[in-house]
Amino acid sequence: MSEANEFAAVTKAFSGLGVDENLFISSLGRWNRYQRESYRVSTPAFFKEDERQFQRWSDHHILQLRQEFLRLKDAVVLYTMHPWERDARLFKEALLLKVPQHDVLIETACTRSSEDLLGARKAYHSLFEHSIEEDIAHHIKAQERKLLVALVSSYRYEGPRVNEDLAKSEAKVFVNALKDAKKNLIEDEEIVRILSIRSKLHLKAIYSHYKEMTGHFLDEDLDGDLILKQVVQCLCSPQTYFSKILIASLRLDVEESAKDSVTRVIVTRADDDDMKLIKEEFQSKYGTTLAAKIEEVANGSYRDFLLTIIAKSN
């Protein structure tokens, strides 16, 4: 089927004229981010161009789709969204829960490029008429608020240069802080500053120097502070973090809320180099492929859609 015909067929499926789940799997699931962008641009009935230069879903059609079919709906809707809108909506949903989902805020803020994180913040302005920083400050009153605001506000250097002497010095900051049993690490200004402003290559150098100094991995030594552990993993080894999220969520007895994590991780990582690394880490750590685990636990068209997405990174 030509791309134009595929676009027309997917539009028909999205129009409420009967949901063709096989079409979503065979066509939409194989599209790369550029094909999905082309689809959004060419389908003004469903997507409108926002003043901040992204194509946003019509709220009416999102509601319509979510009433039309089951778990596949969220995967399809999220996968079709502009990445900025998708991340902005994930931020918002995480904050509106009775207990805000810190992990969603952390993984999105720490694993996106500086430009994509800035784009998500712009989309958040358009969609919700607030800043993400403002809403975090409003919804989160605990001690982690300062760190989370700093992370979502970050615009990191992404070049190749690393000052090894500075990285070694900042690794010592972590060594000394972890030795001080009285210190509350998440409120330590130096640690918040380092984690929120340094480039990811610089932070990986800190991670390496910390291992040389202590014989331990930094994230392992942060077992007593889950939020800081998640931040360090997302910044330094996101494949480790996402593999753990997936294995915890891909269980037959898992709660419904945890199943949403499978959709979120696979759809939001589909177009990144992350997915290939996640699959390699998952197989190395758990002795089975991610695809095999999905086949074991998930069902029907939802399962097939996820398998189609992850197959693209082979």
Side-chain angles (χ1 to χ4, degrees), residues 12-32:
K12 182 178 179 182
F14 275 148
S15 299
L17 305 175
V19 174
D20 186 345
E21 295 186 353
N22 289 329
L23 179 71
F24 287 137
I25 296 161
S26 62
S27 293
L28 181 59
R30 291 187 296 99
W31 291 353
N32 60 37

Side-chain angles (χ1 to χ4, degrees), residues 150 154-157 170 192-199 203:
S154 180
Y155 194 91
R156 301 175 193 274
Y157 166 69
E170 292 182 336
V192 170
R193 179 186 64 81
I194 292 167
L195 290 176
S196 60
I197 69 169
R198 294 300 186 207
S199 75
L203 289 163

Side-chain angles (χ1 to χ4, degrees), residues 243 246-247 250 266 275-276 278-297 307 310 314:
S243 294
L246 287 168
I247 197 64
L250 287 167
I266 291 177
M275 181 51 72
K276 186 173 185 296
I278 290 167
K279 291 196 297 186
E280 291 171 355
E281 175 76 9
F282 191 94
Q283 183 166 2
S284 172
K285 199 170 187 69
Y286 305 114
T288 186
T289 65
L290 177 57
K293 194 65 180 176
I294 290 170
E295 286 181 335
E296 176 188 331
V297 175
L307 291 174
I310 67 170
N314 289 341

